[in-house]
């Protein structure tokens, strides 16, 4: 049997196929890049100038870039005033009216008198923070200001912390309640009830603290002290004038009359008793005393005697 001896062209065919595959791969990669670029361009957002309403879109842009609102601050405001007035009860009534008209109220009140007889009143006033400054200025002008002090305490951190803890504690109480609903053993129920009671107590304490902070930040505290004007308080001049001298002379004259009246009043009882004794002597005692005999008449002159020498 005769067999042909022509060689098979396998190496040449493999080389041709490899070159074609490389060419196809290059073409497909080039086409893919162009497609990716076009897709990227379509997906990319339009430029600021190409956006709709870019020319007149300042308002929307401002809203988009506006900073967030600042968190509210919580401040406790307190003040103290010491005012000297001529009439303490009148100034006290005016202070009450001012505070009530501002939407506040009068808290503690203490009234006393000092050694000089001056009346002193101390008040604790609670007023809304919106009218705090107006009320403070009004009370200051009620008389002579002796002392004024003010203090502001920022408790924003305490308020925020308390609110966060209340939120967490409420979630904790809710989880314990949920566990109690799922509990089947009596021991588990008892343990969960104790834990629930403890967490509820802590929650109530936090709520009380929150209410106290709210009340102290919404109402400012003003401690007002009213004192009467001393009776002998007067302005002293370096060079006294005629009016001062006249007033001093009149005071001296009135003082002298007062002392004379005192001396007369002190001597009047003795004078009355003496007058009564004299009256008793003249009216009662003296008429009852024995009278002395009248002295004999002197003899007549010798020449006139009867039975003279005859």
């Amino acid at each position: 049997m005769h067999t042909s001896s022509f060689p098979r062209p396998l190496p040449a065919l493999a080389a041709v196929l490899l070159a074609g595959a490389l060419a196809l791969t290059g073409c497909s990669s080039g086409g893919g890049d162009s497609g990716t670029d076009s897709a990227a361009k379509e997906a990319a957002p339009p430029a600021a100038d190409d956006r709709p309403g870019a020319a007149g879109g300042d308002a929307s842009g401002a809203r988009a870039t506006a900073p967030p609102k600042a968190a509210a601050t919580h401040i406790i405001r307190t003040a103290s005033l010491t005012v000297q007035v001529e009439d303490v009860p009148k100034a006290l009534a005016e202070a009450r009216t001012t505070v009530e008209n501002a939407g506040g109220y009068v808290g503690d009140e203490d009234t006393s008198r000092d050694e000089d007889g001056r009346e002193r009143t101390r008040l604790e006033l609670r007023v809304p923070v919106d009218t705090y400054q107006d009320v403070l200025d009004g009370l200051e002008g009620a008389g002579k200001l002796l002392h004024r002090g003010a203090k502001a305490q920022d408790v924003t951190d305490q308020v925020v912390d308390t609110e966060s803890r209340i939120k967490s504690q409420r979630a904790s109480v809710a989880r314990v309640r949920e566990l109690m609903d799922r509990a089947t053993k009596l021991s588990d129920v008892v343990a969960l009830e104790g834990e629930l009671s403890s967490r509820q107590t802590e929650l109530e304490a936090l709520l009380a603290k929150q209410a106290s902070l709210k009340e102290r930040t919404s109402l400012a505290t003003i401690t007002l002290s009213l004192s009467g004007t001393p009776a002998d308080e007067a302005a002293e001049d370096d060079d006294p004038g005629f009016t001062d001298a006249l007033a001093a002379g009149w005071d001296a004259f009135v003082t002298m009359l007062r002392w004379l009246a005192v001396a007369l009043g002190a001597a009047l009882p003795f004078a009355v008793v003496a007058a009564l004794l004299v009256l008793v002597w003249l009216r009662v005692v003296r008429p009852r005393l024995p009278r002395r005999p009248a002295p004999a008449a002197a003899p007549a002159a010798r020449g006139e005697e009867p039975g003279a020498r005859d």
Side-chain angles (χ1 to χ4, degrees):
M1 181 176 183
H2 178 75
T3 304
S4 62
S5 61
F6 293 100
R8 297 179 181 178
L10 292 178
L13 181 60
V16 173
L17 293 176
L18 180 60
L22 292 175
L24 291 175
T25 304
C27 294
S28 61
S29 62
D33 292 341
S34 61
T36 304
D37 293 341
S38 61
K41 290 181 180 180
E42 293 177 359
D49 296 338
D50 298 337
R51 293 177 184 175
D58 294 339
S60 61
R63 286 195 299 268
T65 60
K69 294 183 179 179
T73 57
H74 301 272
I75 299 176
I76 297 176
R77 299 187 181 276
T78 57
S80 60
L81 286 177
T82 302
V83 183
Q84 189 178 77
V85 295
E86 297 181 358
D87 190 349
V88 173
K90 181 180 178 181
L92 177 60
E94 292 177 352
R96 289 179 178 274
T97 302
T98 301
V99 172
E100 291 174 358
N101 291 339
Y105 64 92
V106 179
D108 297 337
E109 178 179 345
D110 183 23
T111 302
S112 61
R113 289 184 179 274
D114 58 9
E115 297 177 354
D116 299 331
R118 291 180 298 176
E119 186 175 357
R120 295 179 180 272
T121 300
R122 183 179 179 277
L123 299 173
E124 185 176 293
L125 311 175
R126 305 300 306 277
V127 296
V129 292
D130 297 337
T131 59
Y132 161 74
Q133 192 61 44
D134 295 337
V135 172
L136 197 62
D137 295 339
L139 295 175
E140 179 182 342
K144 181 181 179 181
L145 180 63
L146 301 180
H147 170 75
R148 173 174 177 172
K151 182 180 179 181
Q153 180 183 1
D154 191 350
V155 293
T156 304
D157 294 341
Q158 297 183 31
V159 172
V160 174
D161 178 68
T162 303
E163 291 177 352
S164 177
R165 293 176 62 188
I166 287 175
K167 183 178 180 181
S168 299
Q169 196 66 19
R170 282 176 173 168
S172 177
V173 170
R175 286 194 300 269
V176 174
R177 290 183 182 276
E178 184 178 355
L179 291 175
M180 287 183 62
D181 294 338
R182 297 179 181 179
T184 57
K185 295 182 180 180
L186 180 59
S187 58
D188 295 342
V189 173
V190 173
L192 289 173
E193 284 181 350
E195 186 67 22
L196 178 62
S197 177
S198 175
R199 298 191 183 191
Q200 283 182 336
T201 301
E202 185 176 354
L203 177 59
E204 291 174 359
L206 291 173
L207 291 174
K209 181 179 180 180
Q210 184 186 45
S212 176
L213 288 173
K214 182 179 180 181
E215 194 267 345
R216 294 168 62 191
T217 54
S218 60
L219 293 176
T221 303
I222 301 176
T223 302
L224 175 64
S225 298
L226 299 173
S227 62
T229 304
D232 57 349
E233 182 178 291
E236 297 181 358
D237 297 333
D238 296 335
D239 298 328
F242 174 77
T243 305
D244 298 330
L246 182 61
W250 176 257
D251 292 340
F253 177 72
V254 171
T255 303
M256 182 189 68
L257 290 180
R258 185 167 58 251
W259 282 109
L260 288 176
V262 171
L264 180 61
L268 184 60
F270 299 96
V272 171
V273 173
L276 289 175
L277 292 176
V278 172
L279 183 62
V280 170
W281 170 263
L282 293 178
R283 297 288 184 177
V284 178
V285 178
R286 185 177 180 182
R288 294 182 180 183
L289 292 176
R291 296 182 179 181
R292 296 179 180 180
R302 293 180 179 181
E304 296 180 358
E305 291 179 357
R309 296 177 183 178
D310 293 335

